[in-house]
Amino acid sequence: MALIFDAKVALFGKLRAVVPTGVQCTYAEPGETGRRKAVWFGATTDDDMVPAAMRSGPKPTNVTGYVEVHAVVTTPGNPIDAERAVYAIRDTVRDACVALNADLPAVPGLMDVRPESATVETQETTDGAYSALTVRVRVRGRVYQ
C-alpha cells in the first residue's frame, strides 16, 4: 500500500515546516552523527489491512500502519537539558501530525495521523549528555482495491 508511504512523505513535509531552528530534519538517518540535534524517519510498517465492505468493483480496505520518527540531542554535560530538548522535538512531531490532519486531502484516502507512543533514552558520558527519542506515529486510512 502506498498510503502509508504517501502519508510518511507528507508528514516529513509538515515536520520540516515546524521543526525548530538548529534541529537537522532529514528523511532518513543522517550520515553526520556530530549534530547536536537531529530528527529523521525510521521504519514504516503496513500493519493491518481489513476489508471494509463486500461489493462489486473496487473493494474499500481500511489500512493501519506505523511510521517511526527518531531524534537525538547531544548537550555538553546536562542530561536533563538533553531530555528536555527531545521532549520539545516530540511536541514538534505532534504538531506536524496536527498539521497533516488539518490537510487530509493532501494524501488520498488518509483518515488520521497521530503519535501513539514515545520512548526516550538518556545517557551521560564523559563527553556530555545524550538523549534519544523514538515516536511511533499511527497512520489510518482507506484505499480501494
Side-chain angles (χ1 to χ4, degrees), residues 43-81:
T44 304
T45 307
D46 289 339
D47 192 47
D48 192 22
M49 295 186 289
V50 178
M54 299 305 290
R55 63 179 192 179
S56 62
K59 310 285 190 270
T61 302
N62 292 332
V63 178
T64 302
Y66 299 91
V67 174
E68 290 183 355
V69 181
H70 302 283
V72 65
V73 173
T74 304
T75 61
N78 190 344
I80 294 171
D81 290 342

Side-chain angles (χ1 to χ4, degrees), residues 105-120:
V107 180
L110 185 61
M111 295 169 51
D112 182 50
V113 177
R114 67 183 62 213
E116 184 177 75
S117 64
T119 304
V120 175

Side-chain angles (χ1 to χ4, degrees), residues 14-29:
K14 300 296 183 185
L15 184 61
R16 286 185 58 170
V18 298
V19 74
T21 303
V23 177
Q24 179 187 20
C25 182
T26 61
Y27 185 78
E29 186 169 357

